[in-house]
Amino acid sequence: MQTDNLLKQISFIKEIDKLKYIQRKTKLFNSDRNENDAEHSWHLAMMTIVLAEHSDKPIDVLKVLKMVLIHDIVEIDAGDTFLYDTVKDHTNSEQELIAAKRIFGLLPKEQADEFIEVWQEFEVGISDEAKFARSMDRLEPLLQNTSNNGGTWKEFNVPYQKVYDKKKAIKAGSAAIWQYAENLINESVEKGILKK
Amino acid sequence: MQTDNLLKQISFIKEIDKLKYIQRKTKLFNSDRNENDAEHSWHLAMMTIVLAEHSDKPIDVLKVLKMVLIHDIVEIDAGDTFLYDTVKDHTNSEQELIAAKRIFGLLPKEQADEFIEVWQEFEVGISDEAKFARSMDRLEPLLQNTSNNGGTWKEFNVPYQKVYDKKKAIKAGSAAIWQYAENLINESVEKGILKK
């Protein structure tokens, strides 16, 4: 049984290597190089550990880490959806659910069920852990875009109000981090790297 | 105080982006593309979550995750040392300690101290958490090299005994994973992708 589990887990570990090829729209800090999903997930995990003290609610940090580490794995099959995509909705699509079932389904049943549950909890975004995880997911590209003279906001003509509305999800996780983020957005308008 | 902490944490979060540029010798699975340290750290974190049940000793998974997520951050200043380097020792060098103090030192004092401690615990490798974290760090490139027809073993002429001696660290974390790994090494010899 243990060996059976291990073989399934190893095949999952090999499969998820593909996350390193999924390119995001966002660029690395002060850079022209696109970030990939594995790098992004690592960065969110580090941010979670470092910033957990600012969560408004007590959170299970291990749970949040699981969320941010796995949240984009479905994109191996479903592809990355740009946060400001005007056609495709960013939320839990049918295609993503099929991907979750296939990829997490490589794991032993109990673990597969847990991963699908954790991923869905993140997507639904209601639990305190999901709120904090989502605030990390919104904060990283904000920091990247401000370091890149507007980054994807400029590249894809995303206006202030759209950015503000999307980034407001940070507030649900942490008032302190939202205060910082809101200032950053307003400063970006003043600097002319985000259009009002 | 909270704002002061947050600003320090944000500067750390920006600094560690550089881990995405540190190239390892090892290539991605079935690939010619070098892996970078951020991708590697993400993969070890996923492996930790997935394989924790095989640890011989009860482990604090959150602690192991912190270890694998931060274990290579010192390489931002100190550079990557190849596991089979014949000149430079892979273990905790003076240069790495200076790097740890500078980079983790960007964080608020208490957090900086914790990160340096966790990193040193990983490097020393005596605690149950460190043993498991190190077994993950040895397993990933083993899986990669076998998927790449010998990978760095062939590229740098690393013989069986050297591989075996280094990989044996897996045994200290998990007998079950070591059994799998040992088989994989022996099979590699039979396949002619590792020289005895």
Side-chain angles (χ1 to χ4, degrees):
Chain A
M1 185 59 180
Q2 199 190 21
T3 309
D4 187 48
N5 276 5
L6 184 55
L7 293 178
K8 287 179 180 164
Q9 288 155 342
I10 296 280
S11 78
F12 174 77
I13 286 164
K14 288 179 182 174
E15 179 66 19
I16 61 172
D17 195 62
K18 295 175 184 165
L19 200 65
K20 299 167 190 170
Y21 298 96
I22 310 290
Q23 300 291 307
R24 291 166 53 78
K25 291 277 183 291
T26 322
K27 308 285 199 294
L28 301 188
F29 286 77
N30 309 295
S31 172
D32 273 339
R33 206 262 272 166
N34 284 77
E35 186 178 45
N36 69 53
D37 271 350
E39 296 169 328
H40 165 65
S41 303
W42 168 77
H43 219 143
L44 297 197
M46 285 303 305
M47 289 167 66
T48 297
I49 294 172
V50 165
L51 299 176
E53 65 177 272
H54 302 289
S55 173
D56 290 337
K57 297 278 175 61
I59 44 170
D60 173 351
V61 175
L62 179 57
K63 180 87 166 280
V64 180
L65 283 176
K66 286 182 182 177
M67 285 181 180
V68 298
L69 288 166
I70 71 168
H71 81 293
D72 273 341
I73 285 179
V74 294
E75 297 188 354
I76 287 174
D77 287 353
D80 177 50
T81 302
F82 186 41
L83 181 62
Y84 303 106
D85 197 306
T86 48
V87 181
K88 221 167 134 194
D89 193 0
H90 194 74
T91 51
N92 200 344
S93 69
E94 183 60 26
Q95 204 190 356
E96 285 189 342
L97 186 62
I98 294 168
K101 285 180 180 167
R102 183 191 75 77
I103 304 167
F104 298 135
L106 295 170
L107 290 165
K109 170 100 179 67
E110 208 177 313
Q111 216 163 35
D113 290 346
E114 187 207 338
F115 276 48
I116 292 173
E117 229 178 88
V118 167
W119 170 70
Q120 284 182 321
E121 186 178 328
F122 171 83
E123 288 288 324
V124 171
I126 289 174
S127 72
D128 293 330
E129 281 76 17
K131 283 177 184 164
F132 194 77
R134 291 168 74 92
S135 71
M136 296 299 98
D137 196 29
R138 290 287 185 273
L139 179 61
E140 195 219 19
L142 173 60
L143 296 176
Q144 288 166 324
N145 277 343
T146 50
S147 85
N148 285 327
N149 196 32
T152 56
W153 302 333
K154 270 199 172 168
E155 192 178 349
F156 300 97
N157 272 313
V158 187
Y160 164 85
Q161 197 58 49
K162 226 173 158 183
V163 170
Y164 192 91
D165 291 347
K166 287 286 186 189
K167 297 301 171 189
K168 223 179 159 181
I170 296 171
K171 198 179 182 177
S174 164
I177 299 176
W178 171 241
Q179 193 184 14
Y180 173 83
E182 197 180 18
N183 280 339
L184 212 55
I185 296 170
N186 290 332
E187 275 172 32
S188 299
V189 174
E190 286 162 30
K191 282 184 185 161
I193 61 174
L194 177 61
K195 274 196 190 150
K196 203 152 189 174
Chain B
M1 185 58 183
Q2 201 190 19
T3 311
D4 186 48
N5 276 5
L6 183 55
L7 294 178
K8 286 179 180 166
Q9 288 155 342
I10 296 280
S11 78
F12 173 78
I13 287 162
K14 289 179 181 173
E15 178 65 19
I16 61 172
D17 195 64
K18 294 175 183 164
L19 200 65
K20 299 167 191 170
Y21 296 97
I22 311 290
Q23 300 291 308
R24 290 167 52 79
K25 291 279 183 290
T26 322
K27 309 285 200 293
L28 301 188
F29 286 75
N30 310 296
S31 172
D32 274 339
R33 206 261 273 167
N34 285 76
E35 186 178 46
N36 69 52
D37 271 349
E39 296 168 330
H40 165 63
S41 303
W42 168 77
H43 219 143
L44 297 198
M46 285 304 304
M47 290 167 65
T48 297
I49 294 172
V50 165
L51 299 176
E53 66 176 272
H54 301 289
S55 174
D56 291 335
K57 298 278 175 61
I59 45 170
D60 173 351
V61 175
L62 179 57
K63 179 86 166 279
V64 180
L65 284 177
K66 286 182 182 179
M67 284 181 181
V68 298
L69 288 166
I70 72 168
H71 80 292
D72 273 341
I73 285 180
V74 294
E75 297 188 354
I76 288 174
D77 287 354
D80 177 50
T81 302
F82 186 43
L83 182 62
Y84 303 106
D85 197 306
T86 48
V87 181
K88 222 168 132 192
D89 192 1
H90 194 73
T91 52
N92 198 344
S93 68
E94 182 60 25
Q95 203 190 357
E96 285 188 344
L97 186 61
I98 294 168
K101 286 181 181 167
R102 182 190 76 77
I103 304 168
F104 297 135
L106 295 170
L107 290 164
K109 171 100 179 66
E110 210 177 312
Q111 217 163 31
D113 291 347
E114 187 208 338
F115 277 48
I116 292 173
E117 229 177 86
V118 167
W119 170 71
Q120 285 182 321
E121 187 178 327
F122 172 84
E123 288 287 324
V124 172
I126 289 175
S127 72
D128 294 330
E129 281 76 17
K131 283 177 185 163
F132 194 77
R134 291 169 74 91
S135 71
M136 297 298 99
D137 195 28
R138 290 287 186 274
L139 179 61
E140 195 220 20
L142 172 61
L143 298 175
Q144 288 166 323
N145 277 344
T146 50
S147 85
N148 285 327
N149 195 31
T152 57
W153 303 332
K154 270 198 174 169
E155 193 179 348
F156 300 98
N157 272 312
V158 188
Y160 165 84
Q161 197 58 49
K162 227 174 157 181
V163 170
Y164 192 90
D165 292 347
K166 287 286 185 190
K167 296 301 172 190
K168 223 179 159 183
I170 295 171
K171 198 179 183 179
S174 165
I177 300 176
W178 172 240
Q179 194 184 15
Y180 174 84
E182 197 180 17
N183 279 339
L184 211 56
I185 296 169
N186 290 330
E187 274 173 32
S188 299
V189 174
E190 287 162 29
K191 281 184 188 162
I193 62 174
L194 177 61
K195 274 195 191 151
K196 202 149 189 174

